[in-house]
Amino acid sequence: MSNARATHLSRRGILAAGGALGLGAALAACGDDAKSGGSDKETTAAKSGPWSFKDDRGQTAKTDKTPATIVSFIGVAAALHDYGIESKGVFGPTELKNGKPDVQAGDLDISKVTNLGNTWGQFNIEKYAALSPDVLITTMFDAVGTLWYVPEESKKKILAVGAPTVGISVYDIHLPTPLARMLELAKSLGADTTSSTITAAKKRFEDAAARLRAAAKAKPDIKVLAGSASDTIFYVSGSNLSADLEYYKSLGVNFVEPPASALKASGGWFENLSWENVDKYGADIIMMDNRTSAIQPADITEGTWKKLPAVKAGQVIARNPEPILSYAKCAPLLEDLAKAIENAQKVS
């Protein structure tokens, strides 16, 4: 999921950049103690004094007290929600045309937040300022710390509102790292990170990782392709740079790997294939981008797609290249991939 400012990708390229896979499983709402925002004692203590948090740019955000009015990228808001921390404003893919929540909203009740912009490049600065935000939080998909979904052309005006910013990196690292950082951030904001709900979710994630490692070891020949679909292009992701794919690879998953020369044009993220060449790589499982920016498998009409062995075998699963960074949301991603590998037939 490279960033436009870093790799000069097109808008579509940026949105597709995480590739394909998106074990689009969503865990049910986290339970009463997670929704309550943690213990009264911890929350009160957090709000009584100055607050600071050093982000992944090495910058320290500071406020006189723990932020109460939080504005977040939608995926960050969804992750913080799982830890009992609520955002007042959000930006990024939040609401579908039919009014339902976008996949990146997780369990967030989108009727209770102010939507500052639903698509790439949208960010309503007037609404943002009206919220009197205490902090703006988002992720980062490049090495230079560009704030994801904060429009470059209006960045100065957004920063001029005065709220400090926090960036959590998901670039070229393994998934457990940003998961731990998001949990650390939630704790600083008043979450009770020792609650039974959060402890159980973390244990589930660890168990899922062990299951995926075992599945990959048992079936090392099963090839997994991470892809994303547009009208004219099929994107095949390399397993480097994306936090989820890098982690799955470290657990032993055998990914289809486009050569570096094919990935170069996208800054190392993915290879562009025409639909006529969608069968360039053999794969036993295809993980498809489940974000609204991508065409979903059921809506792909290309005959070349339907002829792929993995498609014919029904071995296509979902992937969100922008996973919601809570253990509750990421555990099912690992479980779904493990199950797919466990049940996969060799078809490539």
Side-chain angles (χ1 to χ4, degrees), residues 169-331:
S169 178
V170 287
Y171 174 76
D172 197 16
I173 51 179
H174 290 185
L175 186 57
T177 298
L179 276 172
R181 290 290 283 153
M182 190 63 70
L183 185 66
E184 182 183 354
L185 175 61
K187 181 178 181 180
S188 80
L189 293 168
D192 177 8
T193 57
T194 63
S195 72
S196 58
T197 299
I198 293 175
T199 301
K202 188 174 182 181
K203 176 65 163 53
R204 180 179 176 184
F205 178 85
E206 293 167 349
D207 289 346
R211 178 182 175 185
L212 180 55
R213 186 189 297 276
K217 184 176 181 180
K219 291 188 173 182
D221 293 334
I222 294 297
K223 293 182 180 179
V224 180
L225 183 149
S228 183
S230 73
D231 289 334
T232 59
I233 298 173
F234 184 77
Y235 303 86
V236 179
S237 285
S239 63
N240 294 323
L241 304 184
S242 296
D244 59 337
L245 301 187
E246 282 198 12
Y247 183 50
Y248 303 155
K249 182 172 65 174
S250 77
L251 296 175
V253 176
N254 181 9
F255 281 107
V256 169
E257 299 282 5
S261 58
L263 299 171
K264 186 176 180 180
S266 68
W269 290 94
F270 54 85
E271 177 181 4
N272 295 352
L273 295 179
S274 66
W275 283 105
E276 290 75 15
N277 295 316
V278 72
D279 60 351
K280 179 178 179 179
Y281 301 107
D284 304 298
I285 296 171
I286 301 177
M287 306 175 81
M288 289 296 289
D289 187 344
N290 72 344
R291 294 170 300 172
T292 52
S293 57
I295 298 176
Q296 298 307 299
D299 299 319
I300 298 175
T301 59
E302 300 290 342
T304 48
W305 162 260
K306 296 179 179 180
K307 293 178 181 178
L308 294 178
V311 176
K312 293 171 68 175
Q315 295 177 174
V316 178
I317 60 175
R319 171 200 177 209
N320 188 340
E322 299 177 59
I324 294 171
L325 296 173
S326 74
Y327 292 103
K329 292 297 182 292
C330 286

Side-chain angles (χ1 to χ4, degrees), residues 76-262:
V76 171
L80 290 176
H81 172 79
D82 285 353
Y83 295 135
I85 304 299
E86 302 300 338
S87 298
K88 298 290 182 63
V90 298
F91 54 96
T94 300
E95 184 177 359
L96 302 177
K97 291 181 179 179
N98 60 10
K100 294 183 178 180
D102 188 276
V103 65
Q104 295 192 62
D107 294 327
L108 197 66
D109 184 345
I110 62 173
S111 70
K112 295 182 178 180
V113 294
T114 299
N115 188 348
L116 303 178
N118 206 59
T119 61
W120 183 262
Q122 288 185 346
F123 194 108
N124 191 312
I125 301 173
E126 290 74 21
K127 284 186 178 181
Y128 176 63
L131 288 172
S132 298
D134 294 321
V135 66
L136 183 152
I137 309 171
T138 187
T139 48
M140 301 181 299
F141 283 90
D142 62 23
V144 298
T146 306
L147 298 176
W148 188 237
Y149 262 82
V150 174
E152 192 67 21
E153 61 273 16
S154 53
K155 180 180 177 181
K156 288 184 179 180
K157 292 181 179 180
I158 293 169
L159 296 180
V161 171
T165 60
V166 171
I168 300 296
S169 178
V170 287
Y171 174 76
D172 197 16
I173 51 179
H174 290 185
L175 186 57
T177 298
L179 276 172
R181 290 290 283 153
M182 190 63 70
L183 185 66
E184 182 183 354
L185 175 61
K187 181 178 181 180
S188 80
L189 293 168
D192 177 8
T193 57
T194 63
S195 72
S196 58
T197 299
I198 293 175
T199 301
K202 188 174 182 181
K203 176 65 163 53
R204 180 179 176 184
F205 178 85
E206 293 167 349
D207 289 346
R211 178 182 175 185
L212 180 55
R213 186 189 297 276
K217 184 176 181 180
K219 291 188 173 182
D221 293 334
I222 294 297
K223 293 182 180 179
V224 180
L225 183 149
S228 183
S230 73
D231 289 334
T232 59
I233 298 173
F234 184 77
Y235 303 86
V236 179
S237 285
S239 63
N240 294 323
L241 304 184
S242 296
D244 59 337
L245 301 187
E246 282 198 12
Y247 183 50
Y248 303 155
K249 182 172 65 174
S250 77
L251 296 175
V253 176
N254 181 9
F255 281 107
V256 169
E257 299 282 5
S261 58

Side-chain angles (χ1 to χ4, degrees), residues 62-85:
K62 298 179 180 180
T63 56
D64 293 337
K65 59 181 180 180
T66 300
T69 304
I70 300 170
V71 173
S72 307
F73 172 69
I74 184 62
V76 171
L80 290 176
H81 172 79
D82 285 353
Y83 295 135
I85 304 299

Side-chain angles (χ1 to χ4, degrees), residues 2-14 120 142 146 264-270:
S2 174
N3 190 280
R5 276 73 71 185
T7 59
H8 308 291
L9 299 181
S10 66
R11 175 182 178 277
R12 168 64 227 185
I14 297 169
W120 183 262
D142 62 23
T146 306
K264 186 176 180 180
S266 68
W269 290 94
F270 54 85

